Amino acid sequence: MIDSLPKAELHLHIEGTLEPELMFSLAERNAISLPYQSVEEVRAAYQFSSLQSFLDIYYAGAKVLQTEQDFYDLTWAYLERCQKDNVVHTEIFFDPQTHTDRGISFGTVFEGIDAALQDGKKQLGISSHIIMCFLRHLSAEDAMNTFAMSKPWHHRMIGVGLDSSEQGNPPRKFTEVFEKARQAGLKAVAHAGEEGPAEYIWEALKELKVLRVDHGVRCLDDDRLVQYLVENRIPLTVCPLSNVKLCVFDSLSDHNLKQMLDRGLCVTVNSDDPSYFGGYINDNFRATQTALGLDNQAVYQLLRNSFNASFLEHSERARHLARLDTLYQELSDD
Ligand code: ADE
Ligand code: ZN
């Protein structure tokens, strides 16, 4: 069922779609040496014990991305996967500091990604938005400088986000830059409650004024927070395979996604960094459905949530929801 129904993806780091094959071909194109001998060796290195153990490898892998064409090729490969998985709208993150800190200009990164997204709209009919994330392990001042540097592109982004090492880097560290971003008309989202405590989700809501929480799986530790998220219809972009790969849950059958749905939370399913975590969005749906015994109605609810939680204009959202409803009805009648 999941293959034939349209969906939106709302939590996807474009740097996390770098497949080992592309990593090798970009390394060759840019004359960069990799600490791996083969694609198999790269895949074998993707065993993580925590978020930080993943991030170390992830930032190292991103070094092969040098030119606008590299960012275009990376993004285009992801869009081709979107087409296969029936993703009709995607809101992607990128981390400018990962690239500007090694001398790649902001424009090189942004223009390469955006050119592919424009072609994705024209050639594949996939709509998209770009969210610029600040790396929370770096300073607030660094985030502010990045925000200033990105000004010429603000009108081409939908929002700002916050990612990287959560523990010890609370959302309140970035209150000021998020305030500036909101003043510039950008929407706010943030990773919170992935490894960090429920308190960080409160901070993301109250200090950063986020409209969506990325991950947020720790919210079930705090009943008052769950009630707040339900009452205010704040969506949570959950990434099941990521959570297992990064040891947030011991196994997929221990994941709390079904409990979150049962509590009335607006949960969505996403792939986070699919090249590193063993699967794209439909892989996440299939594995989660099996592990948690989700029925078709629950999957349908998750798909509806993906559009309702998106930053699509009202009319576009309604159009996607109507098409989803029709297709789901047809499948149910068969
Ligand atoms: N950057 C890429 N993936 C991430 C994740 N799952 N958590 C925090 N930062 C990230
Ligand atoms: Zn993420």
Side-chain angles (χ1 to χ4, degrees):
M1 181 178 94
I2 196 61
D3 290 319
S4 50
L5 292 176
K7 59 195 68 75
E9 179 149 58
L10 307 177
H11 184 153
L12 182 282
H13 302 263
I14 198 63
E15 294 91 345
T17 67
L18 179 62
E19 290 289 341
E21 289 80 3
L22 184 58
M23 191 190 288
F24 269 88
S25 79
L26 294 183
E28 197 179 333
R29 187 153 98 187
N30 296 321
I32 289 172
S33 74
L34 287 172
Y36 310 104
Q37 296 305 313
S38 67
V39 162
E40 292 71 35
E41 210 183 294
V42 179
R43 289 220 162 85
Y46 292 173
Q47 303 293 335
F48 313 114
S49 55
S50 63
L51 174 58
Q52 193 57 52
S53 67
F54 152 69
L55 290 170
D56 294 342
I57 287 188
Y58 171 74
Y59 295 135
K63 288 186 182 145
V64 300
L65 297 160
Q66 298 272 331
T67 66
E68 199 173 309
Q69 187 67 45
D70 297 343
F71 287 94
Y72 182 100
D73 293 348
L74 174 75
T75 308
W76 186 255
Y78 165 64
L79 289 167
E80 287 186 321
R81 280 303 307 230
C82 285
Q83 189 182 34
K84 260 187 161 164
D85 281 1
N86 222 330
V87 172
V88 294
H89 175 71
T90 182
E91 299 184 0
I92 69 169
F93 299 129
F94 80 113
D95 289 338
Q97 289 153 297
T98 300
H99 313 297
T100 53
D101 281 6
R102 47 189 185 88
I104 312 293
S105 78
F106 190 99
T108 297
V109 181
F110 193 96
E111 296 299 342
I113 294 171
D114 193 47
L117 294 177
Q118 298 303 325
D119 284 351
K121 177 74 186 145
K122 275 185 269 177
Q123 296 173 34
L124 308 175
I126 298 168
S127 60
S128 54
H129 286 313
I130 300 180
I131 298 171
M132 170 174 72
C133 283
F134 301 113
L135 296 180
R136 70 202 302 159
H137 69 276
L138 300 178
S139 68
E141 189 190 357
D142 214 313
M144 199 60 98
N145 291 340
T146 300
F147 183 71
M149 176 199 297
S150 66
K151 191 156 190 269
W153 293 272
H154 285 174
H155 64 290
R156 293 162 64 188
M157 310 171 184
I158 193 84
V160 293
L162 186 65
D163 63 4
S164 192
S165 324
E166 187 179 10
Q167 310 244 41
N169 293 298
R172 65 175 180 278
K173 183 172 157 187
F174 299 95
T175 300
E176 208 182 323
V177 72
F178 269 67
E179 164 104 50
K180 279 227 162 0
R182 282 184 288 102
Q183 281 167 4
L186 296 168
K187 298 178 194 297
V189 300
H191 283 54
E194 178 186 16
E195 278 188 346
E199 183 54 34
Y200 282 15
I201 303 176
W202 277 120
E203 268 186 31
L205 294 164
K206 299 293 181 187
E207 293 278 329
L208 309 185
K209 305 200 170 26
V210 298
L211 303 175
R212 230 164 43 200
V213 176
D214 297 313
H215 294 294
V217 292
R218 293 285 303 275
C219 72
L220 293 191
D221 295 345
D222 181 340
D223 284 342
R224 209 167 53 84
L225 175 58
V226 171
Q227 191 185 347
Y228 183 92
L229 293 166
V230 171
E231 281 177 6
N232 292 281
R233 300 298 296 154
I234 308 280
L236 302 157
T237 63
V238 175
C239 307
L241 289 177
S242 160
N243 290 155
V244 174
K245 265 294 210 187
L246 301 187
C247 306
V248 173
F249 294 97
D250 291 339
S251 73
L252 212 47
S253 48
D254 294 316
H255 201 286
N256 64 6
L257 179 137
K258 186 163 187 304
Q259 284 166 263
M260 293 170 90
L261 270 180
D262 291 345
R263 296 281 297 268
L265 289 159
C266 180
V267 182
T268 66
V269 168
N270 309 272
S271 68
D272 205 7
D273 301 283
S275 165
Y276 293 85
F277 299 150
Y280 286 78
I281 190 166
N282 284 3
D283 301 315
N284 273 270
F285 268 103
R286 275 189 291 268
T288 307
Q289 190 173 8
T290 306
L292 301 181
L294 300 181
D295 58 18
N296 285 348
Q297 182 64 33
V299 173
Y300 169 59
Q301 183 64 54
L302 288 164
L303 295 174
R304 282 194 66 83
N305 290 351
S306 78
F307 293 112
N308 280 323
S310 75
F311 293 139
L312 280 164
E313 296 284 344
H314 176 77
S315 62
E316 273 299 283
R317 178 196 321 224
R319 185 175 69 78
H320 285 301
L321 284 169
R323 183 157 169 272
L324 170 63
D325 290 353
T326 304
L327 291 169
Y328 181 67
Q329 198 57 53
E330 281 171 16
L331 282 178
S332 308
D333 291 345
D334 283 346

PDB file of all heavy atoms in Angstrom, residues 11 13 191 215 272, ligand 2:
ATOM      1  N   HIS A  11      11.493  15.597   7.118  1.00  0.00           N
ATOM      2  CA  HIS A  11      12.713  15.563   7.932  1.00  0.00           C
ATOM      3  C   HIS A  11      13.766  14.780   7.152  1.00  0.00           C
ATOM      4  O   HIS A  11      13.831  13.554   7.227  1.00  0.00           O
ATOM      5  CB  HIS A  11      12.406  14.899   9.285  1.00  0.00           C
ATOM      6  CG  HIS A  11      13.565  14.896  10.242  1.00  0.00           C
ATOM      7  ND1 HIS A  11      13.403  14.868  11.623  1.00  0.00           N
ATOM      8  CD2 HIS A  11      14.910  14.906  10.039  1.00  0.00           C
ATOM      9  CE1 HIS A  11      14.585  14.856  12.198  1.00  0.00           C
ATOM     10  NE2 HIS A  11      15.524  14.875  11.261  1.00  0.00           N
ATOM     11  N   HIS A  13      17.878  15.364   5.775  1.00  0.00           N
ATOM     12  CA  HIS A  13      19.114  16.152   5.622  1.00  0.00           C
ATOM     13  C   HIS A  13      19.700  15.786   4.272  1.00  0.00           C
ATOM     14  O   HIS A  13      20.061  14.619   4.060  1.00  0.00           O
ATOM     15  CB  HIS A  13      20.111  15.803   6.728  1.00  0.00           C
ATOM     16  CG  HIS A  13      19.569  16.035   8.111  1.00  0.00           C
ATOM     17  ND1 HIS A  13      19.812  17.179   8.827  1.00  0.00           N
ATOM     18  CD2 HIS A  13      18.767  15.265   8.894  1.00  0.00           C
ATOM     19  CE1 HIS A  13      19.208  17.106   9.996  1.00  0.00           C
ATOM     20  NE2 HIS A  13      18.558  15.961  10.067  1.00  0.00           N
ATOM     21  N   HIS A 191      15.446  20.236  15.920  1.00  0.00           N
ATOM     22  CA  HIS A 191      15.597  18.891  16.473  1.00  0.00           C
ATOM     23  C   HIS A 191      15.530  19.052  17.994  1.00  0.00           C
ATOM     24  O   HIS A 191      16.260  19.882  18.575  1.00  0.00           O
ATOM     25  CB  HIS A 191      16.966  18.312  16.116  1.00  0.00           C
ATOM     26  CG  HIS A 191      17.091  17.822  14.706  1.00  0.00           C
ATOM     27  ND1 HIS A 191      16.791  18.602  13.624  1.00  0.00           N
ATOM     28  CD2 HIS A 191      17.478  16.607  14.215  1.00  0.00           C
ATOM     29  CE1 HIS A 191      17.001  17.891  12.520  1.00  0.00           C
ATOM     30  NE2 HIS A 191      17.408  16.685  12.848  1.00  0.00           N
ATOM     31  N   HIS A 215      12.054  14.931  15.428  1.00  0.00           N
ATOM     32  CA  HIS A 215      12.157  13.775  16.345  1.00  0.00           C
ATOM     33  C   HIS A 215      11.103  13.944  17.463  1.00  0.00           C
ATOM     34  O   HIS A 215       9.985  13.540  17.291  1.00  0.00           O
ATOM     35  CB  HIS A 215      13.562  13.564  16.922  1.00  0.00           C
ATOM     36  CG  HIS A 215      14.573  13.185  15.900  1.00  0.00           C
ATOM     37  ND1 HIS A 215      14.519  11.986  15.217  1.00  0.00           N
ATOM     38  CD2 HIS A 215      15.669  13.841  15.418  1.00  0.00           C
ATOM     39  CE1 HIS A 215      15.539  11.920  14.375  1.00  0.00           C
ATOM     40  NE2 HIS A 215      16.248  13.032  14.462  1.00  0.00           N
ATOM     41  N   ASP A 272      15.347  11.004   7.620  1.00  0.00           N
ATOM     42  CA  ASP A 272      16.476  11.662   8.301  1.00  0.00           C
ATOM     43  C   ASP A 272      17.737  11.673   7.425  1.00  0.00           C
ATOM     44  O   ASP A 272      17.988  12.658   6.739  1.00  0.00           O
ATOM     45  CB  ASP A 272      16.730  10.992   9.651  1.00  0.00           C
ATOM     46  CG  ASP A 272      17.406  11.901  10.667  1.00  0.00           C
ATOM     47  OD1 ASP A 272      17.572  13.097  10.388  1.00  0.00           O
ATOM     48  OD2 ASP A 272      17.762  11.408  11.762  1.00  0.00           O
TER      49      ASP A 272
HETATM   50 ZN    ZN B   2      17.536  14.988  11.574  1.00  0.00          ZN
END
